[in-house]
Amino acid sequence: MSTAELRGQVREAVGRVLDAREAEVIRLRYGLDSAAPLTQRETAERCGISRSYISRIEKKALEKLRRAIEG
């Protein structure tokens, strides 16, 4: 699988399997909307929640994405 194909699968899975908050965190953290990736702290400030909560959301969302892409 090429990098471009994997990127396409990730973008599609973000919209399909994640709730709105999870999708926003992943887009901000990894720069999926052609923006520069943000740190957890920067993402937390943008979302108005704690950095530790961003970490938990990100971990849960990445696991959902992994399962969606692999399975």
Side-chain angles (χ1 to χ4, degrees), residues 56-67:
R56 290 192 299 273
I57 293 169
E58 181 180 359
K59 182 178 178 180
K60 181 179 172 186
L62 289 174
E63 181 59 29
K64 282 183 175 182
L65 289 172
R66 185 188 64 75
R67 278 188 265 124

Side-chain angles (χ1 to χ4, degrees), residues 1-11:
M1 179 181 306
S2 75
T3 302
E5 290 171 328
L6 185 56
R7 278 189 195 134
Q9 281 189 334
V10 168
R11 281 192 178 93

Side-chain angles (χ1 to χ4, degrees), residues 2-68:
S2 75
T3 302
E5 290 171 328
L6 185 56
R7 278 189 195 134
Q9 281 189 334
V10 168
R11 281 192 178 93
E12 187 272 330
V14 165
R16 183 172 45 88
V17 303
L18 300 182
D19 66 34
R21 178 168 270 177
E22 291 168 338
E24 180 68 10
V25 167
I26 294 301
R27 284 186 185 104
L28 291 171
R29 285 284 292 131
Y30 296 93
L32 295 184
D33 293 331
S34 300
L38 301 178
T39 65
Q40 284 184 345
R41 187 169 315 275
E42 292 166 333
T43 302
E45 288 172 6
R46 281 247 182 117
C47 295
I49 55 180
S50 71
R51 190 217 47 85
S52 63
Y53 192 38
I54 290 293
S55 180
R56 290 192 299 273
I57 293 169
E58 181 180 359
K59 182 178 178 180
K60 181 179 172 186
L62 289 174
E63 181 59 29
K64 282 183 175 182
L65 289 172
R66 185 188 64 75
R67 278 188 265 124

